[in-house]
């Protein structure tokens, strides 16, 4: 849609003005905010939740809450920061209510041999990663994703989440240790299987 | 030639390597280790493969929904009238208040006792199922926590499931106790007492207790009730028993019977029920319990336990550098299994605190923790050598104390002349000495 179609004046087309107007119920301004941020929100939620979730309903719920909460936005942080926190709260709430059951198919690639692993498609590797992350607490998982996958620095995560940098660092560290344990357990199992297989051969 | 780096350290560094955050020395050490260690190479392939795949993946490619249509639905939802509760008749309110008041006045010992019994039963049943009749008491030397259960023979305890998950934790209040390692949350009807200063004994006669225990390496905790006794050793854990289950909210707990050699390991977020099935803790239970105990704050407490403040650091008997030669030549007595556990715990805590300080860029603090850790390790331990390299890097790059870096580099080279990192260490040592117009026999010919 064009600006004319929205009926707004160019000089008011700043995000702050959109926020103020949308907070007063202006759906045109809200649509502009939606258009600007829907991909960001979808991307963040998808990263946090992982494959296998219907994101559409969650994104819908987030933007409904955005509209209803805009009046509480005090411009004390970036709008994207406020948006992120709201989105992650909705996503985490959703994850708590409907935790995904990890299927054996999700785990199986982790136990394959090195040669087989090298041939895995990226999406299968991602499935394995998120299957492993089901074992992490949601807070740890969020910190890990932001740091290791999004590539944010601890200070940036601190600003985004409002958590202290020490807490974030501890969460990242714990999650690394957990993931290492999962990988080690899987590979040792794989080694045992290979050994048993070799024994069968002989 | 041997790799100077432990697999655990190498696997930790893989994350930094992936982000190009390793300095030259660590990179050399890591690559050398990877060259020799097939398992770590495989670990790197899997880890980096997963993380890179996730990082490079554009989640929007998988999103199939129509954004315009979605906005239409959002608009529709926003414009629809919100459901509001129907007005409640005043007489219904009055009746509700009366019922509530009556409920408040009525003693709830029965309900609370039933919950407690259910809690205790969970603790009772697990080791009983594990009992194979042997007499050895298993002691974990690697698990972070241990619950050892000593049972009586009374199995007539009735069971009564709580009405809903988390209900047992409602109405708990934190109790004022004189302990720095223990926090106790108790129901109003609970009857309990805490005795001892180092050997803490928590006796529960009635009610529901939620306990947070952050040991400092000098205390032990025994929890007892009319029907069981649990001795808590090792590191830190929560035990949340609810609906005949034993649940762990943080850390890891190993549950063993009095006469049983097998161990049931219960991880964070898991419950074990009377049929020995491990299951995830219900979110309602977690939510109810974490209203009293903040898990993140708890783990922060763990990582900042005042270990060296309460325990003198025991220096190893022999060191290759001159500083070590001035220490006592008397070897300490071989530590007991429990002593080993405490020592491992102390080392792990120091290592964690050093890493945390590094993450916080508090390099002076990191150096203090690494120095303390070095004091805890045997002089010829390979981990001590890694710590020396860490310290050398800290003093050289972050703290501007090259003379200290030289000391650690020299100690490393003297102790591990054949190590794969030794040539780099010698080179660095000689460069630092040359900068201050000094020399060393190790640098002759360079």
């Amino acid at each position: 849609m064009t600006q004319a179609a929205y009926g707004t004046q160019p000089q008011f087309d700043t995000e702050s003005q959109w926020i103020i107007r949308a907070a007063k119920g202006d759906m045109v301004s809200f649509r502009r905010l939606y258009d600007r941020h829907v991909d960001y929100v979808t991307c963040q939620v998808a990263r946090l939740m992982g494959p296998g979730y219907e994101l559409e309903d969650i994104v819908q719920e987030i933007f409904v809450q955005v509209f209803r909460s805009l009046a509480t936005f005090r411009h004390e942080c970036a709008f994207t920061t406020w948006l992120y926190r709201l989105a992650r709260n909705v996503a985490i709430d959703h994850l708590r209510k409907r935790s995904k059951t990890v299927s054996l198919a999700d785990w199986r690639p982790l136990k394959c041999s090195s040669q087989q692993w090298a041939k895995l498609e990226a999406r299968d590797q991602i499935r394995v990663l998120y299957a492993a992350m089901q074992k992490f607490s949601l807070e740890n998982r969020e910190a890990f994703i932001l740091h290791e996958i999004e590539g944010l620095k601890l200070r940036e995560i601190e600003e985004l989440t409002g958590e202290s940098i020490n807490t974030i660092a501890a969460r990242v560290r714990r999650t690394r240790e957990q993931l290492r344990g999962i990988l080690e357990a899987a590979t040792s199992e794989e080694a045992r299987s290979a050994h048993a297989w070799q024994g069968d051969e002989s | 030639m041997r790799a100077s780096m432990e697999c655990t350290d190498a696997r930790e560094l893989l994350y930094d390597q992936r982000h190009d955050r390793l300095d030259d020395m660590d990179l050399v050490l890591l690559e050398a280790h990877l060259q020799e260690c097939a398992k770590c190479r495989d670990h790197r392939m899997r880890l980096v493969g997963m993380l890179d795949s996730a990082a490079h993946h554009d989640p929007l490619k998988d999103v199939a929904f129509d954004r315009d249509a979605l906005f239409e639905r959002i608009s529709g939802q926003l414009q629809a009238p919100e459901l509001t509760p129907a007005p409640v008749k005043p007489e219904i309110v009055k009746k509700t208040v009366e019922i509530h008041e009556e409920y408040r006045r009525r003693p709830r010992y029965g309900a609370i006792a039933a919950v407690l019994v259910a809690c205790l039963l969970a603790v009772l049943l697990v080791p009983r199922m594990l009992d194979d009749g042997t007499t050895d008491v298993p002691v974990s030397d690697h698990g972070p926590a241990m619950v050892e259960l000593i049972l009586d023979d009374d199995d007539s305890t009735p069971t009564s499931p709580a009405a809903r998950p988390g209900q047992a934790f409602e109405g708990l209040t934190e109790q004022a106790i004189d302990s720095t390692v223990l926090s106790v949350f108790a129901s109003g009807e609970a009857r309990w007492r805490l005795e001892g200063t180092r050997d803490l004994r928590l006796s529960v006669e009635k009610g529901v207790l939620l306990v947070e225990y952050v040991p400092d390496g000098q205390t032990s905790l025994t929890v007892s009730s009319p029907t069981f006794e649990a001795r808590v050793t090792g590191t830190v854990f929560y035990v949340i028993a609810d609906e005949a289950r034993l649940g762990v909210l943080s850390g890891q707990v190993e549950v063993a019977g009095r006469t049983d050699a097998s161990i049931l390991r219960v991880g964070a977020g898991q419950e074990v029920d009377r049929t020995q099935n491990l299951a995830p803790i219900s979110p309602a239970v977690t939510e109810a319990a974490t209203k009293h105990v903040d898990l993140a704050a708890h783990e922060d407490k763990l990582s900042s336990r005042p270990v060296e403040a309460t325990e003198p650091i025991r220096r190893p008997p022999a060191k290759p550098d001159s500083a070590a030669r001035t220490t006592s030549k008397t070897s300490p007595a071989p530590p007991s299994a429990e002593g080993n556990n405490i020592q491992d715990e102390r080392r792990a805590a120091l290592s964690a605190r050093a890493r945390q300080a590094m993450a916080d860029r508090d390099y002076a603090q990191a150096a203090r923790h690494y120095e303390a850790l070095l004091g805890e390790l045997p002089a010829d331990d390979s981990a001590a050598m890694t710590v020396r390299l860490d310290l050398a890097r800290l003093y050289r790059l972050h703290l501007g104390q090259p003379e200290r870096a030289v000391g650690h580099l020299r100690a490393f080279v003297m102790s591990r002349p054949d190590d794969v990192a030794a040539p780099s260490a010698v080179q660095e040592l000689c460069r630092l000495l040359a900068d201050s117009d000094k020399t060393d026999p190790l640098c002759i010919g360079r």
Side-chain angles (χ1 to χ4, degrees):
Chain A
M1 267 191 236
T2 63
Q3 286 180 348
Y6 283 116
T8 52
Q9 298 298 316
Q11 62 265 36
F12 296 118
D13 286 349
T14 62
E15 189 166 82
S16 297
Q17 292 296 330
W18 296 346
I19 294 166
I20 292 166
R21 289 177 178 184
K24 292 176 181 171
D26 178 0
M27 290 302 286
V28 173
S29 296
F30 181 58
R31 173 67 197 242
R32 292 192 165 224
L33 287 173
Y34 169 86
D35 284 341
R36 177 172 284 187
H37 296 293
V38 65
D39 283 353
Y40 170 76
V41 167
T42 307
C43 197
Q44 294 298 327
V45 171
R47 280 262 163 82
L48 186 58
M49 303 190 74
Y53 285 96
E54 291 297 329
L55 297 181
E56 194 171 356
D57 290 345
I58 299 165
V59 174
Q60 177 176 340
E61 188 182 339
I62 289 167
F63 275 96
V64 166
Q65 288 205 20
V66 166
F67 185 82
R68 289 177 176 158
S69 310
L70 272 174
T72 66
F73 177 59
R74 302 289 177 213
H75 299 267
E76 289 167 350
C77 61
F79 180 64
T80 47
T81 302
W82 181 83
L83 192 59
Y84 173 82
R85 291 179 188 175
L86 191 148
R88 59 86 72 182
N89 285 345
V90 173
I92 284 181
D93 194 41
H94 190 88
L95 284 169
R96 286 211 167 102
K97 285 177 187 164
R98 299 175 207 174
S99 60
K100 185 171 172 253
T101 304
V102 178
S103 69
L104 282 177
D106 292 332
W107 281 111
R108 192 166 293 124
L110 199 56
K111 296 173 182 173
C112 69
S113 68
S114 302
Q115 292 78 9
Q116 290 168 324
W117 178 272
K119 294 175 187 168
L120 271 187
E121 290 186 15
R123 66 179 176 186
D124 291 324
Q125 295 192 2
I126 295 171
R127 274 176 54 206
V128 174
L129 178 63
Y130 278 89
M133 285 200 287
Q134 293 290 325
K135 291 186 173 289
F136 307 162
S137 77
L138 293 171
E139 290 77 13
N140 290 357
R141 175 168 158 177
E142 179 192 30
F144 183 79
I145 288 170
L146 290 173
H147 190 59
E148 301 296 347
I149 297 177
E150 297 277 339
L152 297 186
K153 294 187 170 72
L154 295 179
R155 295 260 173 230
E156 293 171 324
I157 301 173
E158 180 185 34
E159 286 172 18
L160 191 61
T161 62
E163 299 282 1
S164 78
I165 199 164
N166 289 346
T167 302
I168 297 160
R171 287 175 179 171
V172 170
R173 189 181 64 247
R174 282 197 292 271
T175 315
R176 284 177 172 184
E177 287 167 3
Q178 278 183 288
L179 185 57
R180 191 182 70 222
I182 290 169
L183 280 174
E184 285 171 354
T187 48
S188 63
E189 205 170 305
E190 179 257 317
R192 276 199 302 274
S193 305
H195 185 71
W197 181 80
Q198 284 168 359
D200 290 345
E201 284 289 289
S202 61
Chain B
M1 189 183 291
R2 64 182 295 281
S4 68
M5 192 173 277
E6 295 294 317
C7 290
T8 305
D9 297 324
R11 290 171 188 186
E12 174 65 27
L13 288 180
L14 291 176
Y15 289 95
D16 292 329
Q17 186 194 29
R18 187 175 157 263
H19 290 298
D20 291 328
R21 291 180 194 141
L22 280 185
D23 64 26
D24 292 344
M25 186 175 286
D26 274 342
L27 192 59
V28 167
L29 286 173
L30 177 61
E31 289 296 351
H33 179 86
L34 290 170
Q35 207 169 357
E36 300 217 336
C37 180
K39 285 186 177 177
C40 283
R41 281 202 304 277
D42 181 68
H43 190 93
R44 175 168 71 171
M45 181 181 67
R46 291 171 197 255
L47 177 72
V48 174
M50 287 194 300
L51 294 176
D52 282 353
S53 295
H56 298 148
H57 175 66
D58 180 4
L60 295 176
K61 284 185 180 171
D62 296 336
V63 174
F65 58 80
D66 180 330
R67 286 160 180 74
D68 289 336
L70 178 59
F71 189 79
E72 291 304 317
R73 285 211 307 282
I74 293 169
S75 300
Q77 189 176 344
L78 289 170
Q79 286 159 9
E82 284 192 57
L83 292 176
T84 53
V88 182
K89 294 178 181 176
E91 57 269 29
I92 295 178
V93 175
K94 184 167 180 286
K95 183 69 179 170
T96 306
V97 171
E98 284 172 359
I99 291 170
H100 181 65
E101 287 300 315
E102 185 184 357
Y103 180 69
R104 280 185 58 191
R105 286 193 296 270
R106 183 184 301 162
R108 285 181 287 166
Y109 296 147
I112 295 298
V115 172
L116 174 63
V117 164
C119 295
L120 301 186
L121 187 66
V123 184
L124 283 169
L125 284 174
V126 171
R128 182 152 300 183
M129 288 180 295
L130 296 172
D131 191 354
D132 66 354
T134 60
T135 54
D136 293 333
V137 176
V139 177
S140 165
D141 60 357
H142 56 279
M146 179 79 186
V147 178
E148 180 189 331
L149 298 159
I150 302 164
L151 306 174
D152 65 7
D153 292 331
D154 180 12
D155 59 356
S156 60
T157 311
T159 62
S160 174
R164 58 185 164 79
Q167 191 177 23
F169 301 97
E170 291 176 3
L172 300 188
T173 53
E174 183 165 12
Q175 308 294 301
I177 56 174
D178 184 20
S179 172
T180 56
V181 297
L182 208 59
S183 299
V184 176
F185 300 83
S187 60
E189 297 81 1
R191 284 176 60 185
W192 60 278
R193 67 176 182 275
L194 179 66
E195 299 166 300
T197 51
R198 297 182 74 166
D199 297 326
L200 299 168
R201 186 174 185 83
L202 182 65
S203 307
V204 189
E205 291 181 19
K206 191 165 71 172
V208 179
L209 258 67
L210 169 63
V211 179
E212 179 188 11
Y213 179 45
V214 185
D216 58 2
Q218 294 194 333
T219 57
S220 64
L221 172 65
T222 303
V223 182
S224 67
S225 82
T227 51
F228 83 97
E229 183 169 282
R231 194 163 69 240
V232 182
T233 60
T235 60
V236 183
F237 66 98
Y238 295 116
V239 177
I240 309 296
D242 185 64
E243 297 177 342
R245 286 175 180 160
L246 180 143
V248 178
L249 288 176
S250 177
Q252 191 181 63
V253 168
E254 291 178 343
V255 181
R258 182 185 186 185
T259 59
D260 183 11
S262 63
I263 291 173
L264 182 64
R265 189 168 294 170
V266 188
Q270 291 182 322
E271 291 177 335
V272 60
D273 64 14
R274 69 190 71 185
T275 57
Q276 207 185 339
N277 283 328
L278 279 175
I281 290 179
S282 96
V285 169
T286 304
E287 188 180 344
T290 51
K291 283 177 183 168
H292 304 290
V293 181
D294 183 337
L295 297 187
H298 170 74
E299 302 223 8
D300 289 343
K301 283 183 213 169
L302 289 188
S303 58
S304 59
R305 283 177 292 175
V307 179
E308 66 270 47
T310 55
E311 297 200 11
I313 294 168
R314 286 174 294 184
R315 290 269 166 193
K319 296 235 178 198
D321 58 346
S322 58
R325 283 194 290 272
T326 63
T327 58
S328 167
K329 292 178 181 176
T330 309
S331 297
S336 63
E338 189 178 356
N340 274 338
N341 283 343
I342 293 170
Q343 198 171 42
D344 288 347
E345 226 184 279
R346 203 162 43 220
R347 290 171 185 169
L350 285 168
S351 177
R353 294 174 70 179
R355 286 171 189 271
Q356 181 64 56
M358 288 295 290
D360 296 343
R361 299 172 194 275
D362 187 350
Y363 300 117
Q365 188 70 5
R368 278 193 287 276
H369 291 314
Y370 274 130
E371 291 280 12
L373 177 60
L374 190 60
E376 291 283 316
L377 294 164
D380 57 349
D381 190 295
S382 59
M385 293 301 106
T386 305
V387 172
R388 285 202 181 279
L389 290 178
D390 286 336
L391 279 166
R393 188 182 68 238
L394 265 173
Y395 287 127
R396 179 172 53 92
L397 292 180
H398 300 299
L399 298 174
Q401 298 177 38
E403 69 285 356
R404 284 177 176 258
V406 163
H408 286 294
L409 287 169
R410 184 186 290 119
F412 172 79
V413 174
M414 297 288 282
S415 177
R416 291 283 193 276
D418 298 328
D419 194 282
V420 68
S424 302
V426 171
Q427 193 177 1
E428 190 61 35
L429 169 69
C430 298
R431 193 183 65 75
L432 289 172
L433 287 170
D435 288 347
S436 53
D437 294 327
K438 293 178 183 170
T439 186
D440 189 281
L442 288 167
C443 303
I444 293 171
R446 287 178 176 270

